[in-house]
Amino acid sequence: MNDWNGLKAECADCRRCGLCEQRHNVVFGVGNECADVMFVGEGPGEQEDLQGIPFVGPAGRLLDDMLSIIDLSRKENVYISNIVKCRPPRNRDPLETEQDACIGYLRNQVALVKPKIIVCLGRIAAKKLIDENYRITRQHGQWVKKGDIWMTAIYHPSALLRDVSKRPETFDDLISLREKIREVGAKV
Ligand code: URA
């Protein structure tokens, strides 16, 4: 699917995995569809499921604060989506089969946005997009280039809500992101 409207319509009716049974809304993506910087989380939580928008609960408020530290915002210069578009029950990790059923939508989103940089939010996205053996505690903030796209992972905002001791490292990772944005000439 190579146009936004077609992709959104297909995703809205998706029944490729069991997560469709209990969803209130498909949570497709939000932000600037031409952004050079894209963020990818794990999957919708309760608020996201109810509103149909990624990262609108407590973790989302923290994500917005994190973005603003380096002058990014979902309204202007980033696009935000998730590995799976429907909420896993009780916010459990999405199963591998659910991720595989859904990943095509994300690949299409990446093809349409054409970001220069992708930031994985947390372990699940990093394992799916960077390396199946990714260790977030050891590797967060490191950069790898896949094709034309620079990729990194930072701690998921939910992890930062649970464990504030991880926040200083994440601040460093955000500064590194700002440097990468400058280095590659990403528009922000
Ligand atoms: N956590 C995620 O990974 N994605 C969301 O959209 C919300 C919370």
Side-chain angles (χ1 to χ4, degrees), residues 154-175:
I154 65 176
Y155 283 117
H156 193 287
S158 299
L160 300 172
L161 288 173
R162 284 193 302 270
D163 181 357
V164 293
S165 74
K166 292 185 163 75
R167 291 190 185 194
E169 296 167 76
T170 304
F171 180 79
D172 292 344
D173 294 345
L174 291 170
I175 299 305

Side-chain angles (χ1 to χ4, degrees), residues 20 30 34 40 44 60 68-71 83 85 87 94 103 105 119 125 128 135-137 144 155-156 168 179-180 182:
C20 67
V30 71
C34 302
V40 179
S68 73
I69 289 173
I70 52 169
D71 298 320
I83 297 287
K85 310 297 196 242
R87 183 190 181 199
I103 196 72
Y105 295 120
V119 181
K128 199 69 190 167
R135 302 298 302 266
I136 190 83
T137 42
V144 291
Y155 283 117
H156 193 287
E179 280 164 10
K180 185 60 79 180
R182 289 193 183 132

Side-chain angles (χ1 to χ4, degrees), residues 27 41-45 48 53-57 59-60 81-82 121 156 158:
V27 180
E42 166 180 332
E48 291 77 18
I53 305 170
F55 285 99
V56 285
S81 191
N82 281 304
L121 296 168
H156 193 287
S158 299

Side-chain angles (χ1 to χ4, degrees), residues 69-131:
I69 289 173
I70 52 169
D71 298 320
L72 298 179
S73 97
R74 66 170 78 197
K75 288 210 180 81
E76 289 171 60
N77 44 25
V78 305
Y79 188 77
I80 303 172
S81 191
N82 281 304
I83 297 287
V84 297
K85 310 297 196 242
C86 298
R87 183 190 181 199
R90 295 172 307 282
N91 298 342
R92 65 157 168 72
D93 290 352
L95 305 176
E96 205 61 54
T97 49
E98 294 161 350
Q99 296 181 39
D100 289 343
C102 209
I103 196 72
Y105 295 120
L106 183 66
R107 299 218 182 282
N108 275 292
Q109 287 172 302
V110 171
L112 289 166
V113 174
K114 300 188 199 71
K116 290 191 162 85
I117 294 172
I118 293 179
V119 181
C120 298
L121 296 168
R123 172 179 60 91
I124 298 278
K127 280 180 177 284
K128 199 69 190 167
L129 300 186
I130 299 179
D131 174 2

